[in-house]
Amino acid sequence: MAQKNYIKDLYENQEKSLNEIAKITGLNYRTVRKYAHKDDWNDEHLPNIQAESYPILGDFIPIIDQWLEDDTKIPRKQRHTIWRIYCRLRDEEKFLGSYSSVKRYVRKKKFAMSSQTDGYLPLAHPHGSGQVDFGEHIYNDASSKVRTGYALTLSFPNSNKGYTQDFPAQNQECLLEGMKQIFEHMGGVPPVIRFDNMSTAVVKVLDHGERVLTDGFTRFMLHYRFKAEFCNPAAGNEKGNVENKVGYSRRNAFVPVPTITSFDTFNEQLFDWCEQDAQRLHYKHQIEIQELWEADREALLPLPEHPFSVFRYESLAVNKYGFVTIDTNKYGLSPALSREIVQAKIYYDCIEFYHDHTLVGSYKRSYETHQEYYDWKQYVGVLCRKPGGVSHTRFFNQMPPLWQQHLHQAQGQARKSALQLLDEIVQDGNATFCDEVLELAHENGRTDADSVRQCYYMIAKKEHRPEPLTLDITTPDLHYTPNLSAYDGLIGGDLHG
């Protein structure tokens, strides 16, 4: 636009000729003449896409429109090009018109479609659009302790259907994992989802409604190809449907207070509850929610070819005791990694630790605070060098009960040999056999290191003896009568005859 303004200024105010302007700007003479002589600078009207404007193509326009609408639900790399539309019309629909007429219509239609999609009002709800929010509730854990849970709800304003998944926190891993589980359960992705300005998605709210989004949320959004819309600050009414759905779910699916021993199992039950709840009548239309939901479901985007793996990386320094800290909780790794840097792969429910691309430990993710978690198997190798301190370690009570007793009774070299065998069992990945090995040794009245080792080999490294080979072969009958007279000559039989 600045170039056009410059041409007009040279022509009107500086009274340059068209040739002079062409030399100054380096533009073609006809281009200069077009803008120098132009008087009407109004915006062009929307392109004409009415069927009657295309005498030959008109009957085929509904087909093209359907293809273009379907394209909005699939990745751009697999959408129709204009040439592909023309080829399909020619080969499948027996279209006899020109490529140029198809090109002219498709370009105008795409322009009209983009103008319509860009023009949604903030509170409009196209079919398939959803709203997301967390709701807080209490539950009882396996030990009957009262804890706080967070139910993630995705609702659809048009049909009033909603899906809820429950988590022990409302961090980014829980948000994205919950949305992923709901997408996979529905078999599709809402094209537009409205959020509040949750810190797990929004880093900063800028002027004019712009947002700086978190890296994890941005990658998730691009992977599933939905458009994220955000409410104005302190404007919860802009996603009132999900606000109501959160309260409805809490009053119905979480009363009485549930006991949750496994979030995976409980979330499967929540999906069942959501589907059953959709059988009730819509509060306004007096039609079953499930029936209204079909229009929303048809508008969903298809799932991507590859599911999104929800986790985040952190690089952590291992302290001198072999611990790393995540969210105030300490997780124990091998003391051999002391002062090394490890990479933590943090999921919503577990944490994996890697060093030089090798898995060196994994734990269930804790949502407690200031707790220590360690695995006794990580420390057996160190105890082989310091056998005297075995019963004084914090993880001694984690060891198999029979081995606690065995190590407590053994002294000196016997304890060291027992620890070396225990380390061998752990390194072989046979820790589940630990007590079974000692039980077999006790049954035979032997507890010395060599006998216990032999018991381990008998259990974990059983000798493979193949079954005898059986051949189903019929031996042929041999009708053979030997002549033994030849032997008489050899042993002097003729002399004694």
Side-chain angles (χ1 to χ4, degrees):
M1 199 66 191
Q3 186 75 283
K4 299 174 184 178
N5 184 56
Y6 184 44
I7 293 172
K8 198 67 174 176
D9 178 69
L10 290 174
Y11 183 74
E12 294 288 347
N13 300 324
Q14 300 185 36
E15 299 184 357
K16 300 289 186 181
S17 68
L18 297 180
N19 284 327
E20 289 175 327
I21 297 174
K23 291 180 181 179
I24 293 172
T25 60
L27 298 175
N28 183 275
Y29 175 84
R30 288 188 295 273
T31 302
V32 170
R33 182 178 61 186
K34 174 183 177 181
Y35 294 114
H37 293 168
K38 185 173 182 179
D39 294 321
D40 186 2
W41 292 88
N42 287 304
D43 284 340
E44 294 182 0
H45 299 292
L46 284 176
N48 191 344
I49 55 174
Q50 301 304 315
E52 53 268 24
S53 301
Y54 301 85
I56 300 177
L57 187 64
D59 293 340
F60 300 90
I61 282 179
I63 299 173
I64 298 175
D65 289 351
Q66 186 61 53
W67 290 346
L68 294 177
E69 289 291 338
D70 292 342
D71 275 357
T72 63
K73 301 179 183 180
I74 61 176
R76 181 177 177 180
K77 291 185 290 186
Q78 290 180 258
R79 294 176 185 172
H80 287 81
T81 61
I82 299 176
W83 177 253
R84 180 58 180 153
I85 290 175
Y86 169 72
C87 291
R88 288 193 64 186
L89 290 175
R90 181 194 63 196
D91 300 337
E92 299 175 20
E93 307 296 336
K94 309 306 179 185
F95 173 64
L96 300 177
S98 67
Y99 168 75
S100 60
S101 64
V102 175
K103 179 173 68 173
R104 185 169 64 254
Y105 174 76
V106 171
R107 286 182 173 177
K108 292 181 178 181
K109 178 63 177 178
K110 285 186 174 182
F111 179 83
M113 290 173 65
S114 65
S115 300
Q116 292 169 1
T117 55
D118 290 343
Y120 289 130
L121 293 174
L123 297 182
H125 302 301
H127 282 302
S129 65
Q131 299 178 359
V132 165
D133 201 9
F134 274 107
E136 187 176 308
H137 67 91
I138 61 172
Y139 69 95
N140 298 316
D141 65 11
S143 59
S144 299
K145 183 177 180 181
V146 177
R147 297 189 177 278
T148 301
Y150 300 88
L152 178 74
T153 297
L154 170 60
S155 71
F156 294 85
N158 282 312
S159 63
N160 200 34
K161 188 168 186 180
Y163 290 98
T164 298
Q165 292 285 271
D166 202 36
F167 295 92
Q170 48 184 342
N171 54 39
Q172 186 178 94
E173 294 76 51
C174 293
L175 169 67
L176 302 186
E177 183 65 29
M179 293 175 64
K180 173 186 172 183
Q181 290 177 7
I182 293 172
F183 293 167
E184 292 177 351
H185 178 80
M186 296 188 304
V189 181
V192 180
I193 306 178
R194 180 172 289 273
F195 303 82
D196 60 20
N197 297 285
M198 52 181 66
S199 61
T200 51
V202 178
V203 176
K204 186 177 181 181
V205 180
L206 304 177
D207 294 336
H208 309 297
E210 297 295 325
R211 266 97 174 154
V212 178
L213 304 181
T214 61
D215 178 68
F217 182 84
T218 300
R219 287 187 295 105
F220 184 84
M221 180 177 64
L222 293 173
H223 188 88
Y224 286 100
R225 301 187 302 107
F226 65 86
K227 179 181 178 182
E229 294 181 347
F230 296 93
C231 301
N232 291 312
N237 61 293
E238 295 181 3
K239 57 178 181 60
N241 182 262
V242 74
E243 297 275 357
N244 292 331
K245 186 66 70 176
V246 165
Y248 176 84
S249 300
R250 183 164 45 218
R251 293 189 299 271
N252 290 272
F254 295 89
V255 175
V257 175
T259 296
I260 302 177
T261 58
S262 166
F263 279 96
D264 289 339
T265 301
F266 185 69
N267 282 332
E268 286 297 326
Q269 297 170 0
L270 280 177
F271 274 140
D272 292 339
W273 177 84
C274 292
E275 298 298 352
Q276 293 172 7
D277 182 68
Q279 305 305 316
R280 62 189 174 92
L281 296 180
H282 189 277
Y283 67 95
K284 180 179 179 181
H285 301 295
Q286 295 303 301
I287 301 174
E288 276 194 3
I289 291 175
Q290 184 63 30
E291 184 176 343
L292 294 171
W293 158 247
E294 291 303 314
D296 279 329
R297 188 171 62 83
E298 289 294 326
L300 297 179
L301 302 174
L303 291 171
E305 180 181 357
H306 304 288
F308 189 84
S309 186
V310 180
F311 65 88
R312 63 182 169 90
Y313 275 121
E314 275 193 30
S315 294
L316 304 165
V318 184
N319 68 18
K320 64 180 180 180
Y321 298 106
F323 284 92
V324 293
T325 302
I326 298 177
D327 299 332
T328 76
N329 294 311
K330 294 182 178 180
Y331 298 88
L333 301 176
S334 171
L337 295 172
S338 173
R339 296 182 173 83
E340 293 287 336
I341 301 296
V342 297
Q343 286 71 45
K345 201 173 183 180
I346 305 173
Y347 297 84
Y348 92 94
D349 58 346
C350 67
I351 304 174
E352 297 175 352
F353 296 96
Y354 293 85
H355 182 255
D356 287 341
H357 305 286
T358 301
L359 182 67
V360 293
S362 62
Y363 289 91
K364 180 179 178 181
R365 183 173 179 177
S366 172
Y367 288 94
E368 302 284 347
T369 56
H370 304 290
Q371 300 295 314
E372 283 187 353
Y373 302 93
Y374 34 78
D375 185 350
W376 65 271
K377 296 186 290 293
Q378 299 270 13
Y379 299 91
V380 178
V382 177
L383 285 176
C384 292
R385 300 192 298 271
K386 300 178 181 180
V390 62
S391 59
H392 303 291
T393 60
R394 283 180 286 184
F395 55 83
F396 183 70
N397 291 334
Q398 285 188 356
M399 301 176 76
L402 289 182
W403 277 90
Q404 292 181 37
Q405 181 181 353
H406 182 65
L407 292 172
H408 187 72
Q409 293 174 350
Q411 300 294 327
Q413 184 60 40
R415 177 182 286 182
K416 184 174 183 178
S417 298
L419 285 169
Q420 289 173 339
L421 173 59
L422 184 59
D423 185 46
E424 181 180 341
I425 295 173
V426 169
Q427 294 301 322
D428 288 345
N430 293 324
T432 54
F433 296 153
C434 286
D435 275 350
E436 189 178 347
V437 169
L438 287 181
E439 287 173 356
L440 180 59
H442 290 161
E443 289 174 3
N444 291 277
R446 305 295 294 271
T447 58
D448 61 281
D450 290 338
S451 297
V452 175
R453 184 179 297 275
Q454 188 60 38
C455 290
Y456 168 58
Y457 292 157
M458 291 176 63
I459 293 174
K461 304 181 180 182
K462 295 179 181 178
E463 182 180 357
H464 177 65
R465 296 183 179 181
E467 295 292 329
L469 183 63
T470 57
L471 299 175
D472 186 17
I473 300 176
T474 302
T475 304
D477 293 332
L478 298 177
H479 302 286
Y480 174 64
T481 303
N483 182 5
L484 302 179
S485 61
Y487 292 96
D488 290 338
L490 295 175
I491 61 175
D494 292 339
L495 298 176
H496 299 289

